[in-house]
Amino acid sequence: GPHGTDQFYDTTAFVLQGRSNVSDDRSPYVKGRNMNYFYPFVERTACENGNASGCAASPPAAIELLDSVGTIYLVSSDIYVDGGAVYTDHLSFTEHYPICEHARRMGRDVAVLTTSVARHANLPFYGESFHDNEHQADAHHVPSHIREGISEEQVSEWTGAINRAYCDKLGRGPDAAGMVEYLDRLKYGRHDRGKVFPVNEAWVR
């Protein structure tokens, strides 16, 4: 259809709070620096939330402070008029980062509303391709934590199912980060509201 998938599309622009200096890697997604491809898009742990009883994962808050945002956002006009903020391309974080950085320098919060939903157009539906990602997935470099305890036949079946799903829905194969995200869910299950739900190849499609 005309809408895209449930995978979060604009990971590059969304930089986690205090993580701008984690890496200068120009990949569209760096784990621990950018928002996740899938829910929970902003991961928190009980330790980070001030709960000393453990470090179990917890759902993101409705509003999460970030270093940078993108997609659709509201900016107070004085950031531009009085502050003189201008859009300039950033090698790692897109042209939205300088605006957000300027706002933070002016003492403003930069935040994401995690309950909001915005759909990117399914570009192949209109004869266009999604933005290119040079870091394509390589089935021969599946992370060791995925391979551990899993047969090569199972790994091959999973990577094949993921590749077919991407090609059918998006007209291209997955990038490396997307492949690993789906492999994680196939092996460990899908986490939703503190529960774990097992998934299989049919769920990927």
Side-chain angles (χ1 to χ4, degrees):
H3 298 299
T5 70
D6 288 334
Q7 176 176 320
F8 184 56
Y9 186 76
D10 204 9
T11 57
T12 310
F14 286 74
V15 182
L16 300 176
Q17 186 179 34
R19 306 291 176 84
S20 300
N21 298 320
V22 166
S23 169
D24 62 359
D25 191 326
R26 297 178 188 178
S27 302
Y29 171 79
V30 174
K31 188 172 180 62
R33 184 187 75 184
N34 301 101
M35 281 179 59
N36 293 329
Y37 281 117
F38 301 96
Y39 181 90
F41 302 103
V42 180
E43 292 188 83
R44 293 292 181 215
T45 65
C47 292
E48 289 178 293
N49 290 334
N51 184 343
S53 63
C55 296
S58 62
I63 295 178
E64 290 280 357
L65 295 180
L66 301 180
D67 277 1
S68 176
V69 295
T71 307
I72 301 169
Y73 54 98
L74 300 174
V75 184
S76 176
S77 62
D78 68 330
I79 300 295
Y80 303 101
V81 177
D82 299 328
V86 294
Y87 287 94
T88 55
D89 197 21
H90 191 286
L91 293 176
S92 297
F93 304 138
T94 78
E95 72 277 11
H96 306 296
Y97 183 81
I99 303 300
C100 296
E101 183 179 42
H102 204 93
R104 288 189 285 109
R105 285 174 178 167
M106 292 176 67
R108 310 298 173 79
D109 287 334
V110 175
V112 60
L113 179 63
T114 62
T115 55
S116 63
V117 177
R119 289 283 186 180
H120 195 290
N122 188 3
L123 298 181
F125 183 83
Y126 301 100
E128 301 288 338
S129 62
F130 280 116
H131 301 324
D132 291 334
N133 181 357
E134 62 186 28
H135 301 275
Q136 296 297 309
D138 185 343
H140 299 291
H141 292 86
V142 175
S144 58
H145 75 277
I146 297 292
R147 291 187 180 277
E148 186 176 358
I150 302 295
S151 68
E152 286 299 316
E153 291 77 11
Q154 182 67 80
V155 171
S156 180
E157 286 182 15
W158 284 351
T159 56
I162 295 167
N163 271 307
R164 288 191 296 274
Y166 265 79
C167 289
D168 289 347
K169 293 183 177 181
L170 304 180
R172 62 171 175 82
D175 60 23
M179 174 68 81
V180 172
E181 287 284 350
Y182 272 109
L183 287 171
D184 270 330
R185 279 153 182 75
L186 284 166
K187 182 172 182 179
Y188 301 112
R190 178 175 62 86
H191 294 259
D192 188 3
R193 302 180 187 280
K195 297 181 180 179
V196 179
F197 300 91
V199 300
N200 55 27
E201 289 92 333
W203 175 83
V204 173
R205 301 182 68 82

